[in-house]
Amino acid sequence: MLMAWAESGSSTPHDGVMTTLAGLGWIDGRNCRIELYWSAGDLGLMHRHAKELIASRPDVITAMTNSL
């Protein structure tokens, strides 16, 4: 997951995604691997993370941002 926010102790929208995935039986470290990349609003960092994710050839990439 590419995240536009800084990693912090506060709740972010990814919490709901993780809860939903767990409810569907997808548990990180058990039957899937979920990697979180936090960019803290840094577009350059988001681009670098996106390139890393694409290079790792995942089955799914999700991205969350606070703008449309």
Side-chain angles (χ1 to χ4, degrees):
M1 293 180 155
L2 294 172
M3 308 295 289
W5 302 274
E7 184 175 9
S8 68
S10 64
S11 179
T12 61
H14 98 281
D15 296 332
V17 172
M18 300 299 280
T19 300
T20 300
L21 288 172
L24 295 169
W26 294 102
I27 309 297
D28 186 31
R30 185 181 303 164
N31 58 2
C32 68
R33 184 178 79 198
I34 299 172
E35 295 185 23
L36 301 173
Y37 291 82
W38 304 91
S39 68
D42 181 331
L43 188 57
L45 184 57
M46 180 72 85
H47 286 180
R48 284 196 308 272
H49 288 323
K51 287 179 182 180
E52 289 174 24
L53 278 171
I54 291 166
S56 72
R57 302 186 55 151
D59 293 323
V60 175
I61 295 174
T62 64
M64 293 186 188
T65 182
N66 57 356
S67 57
L68 297 173

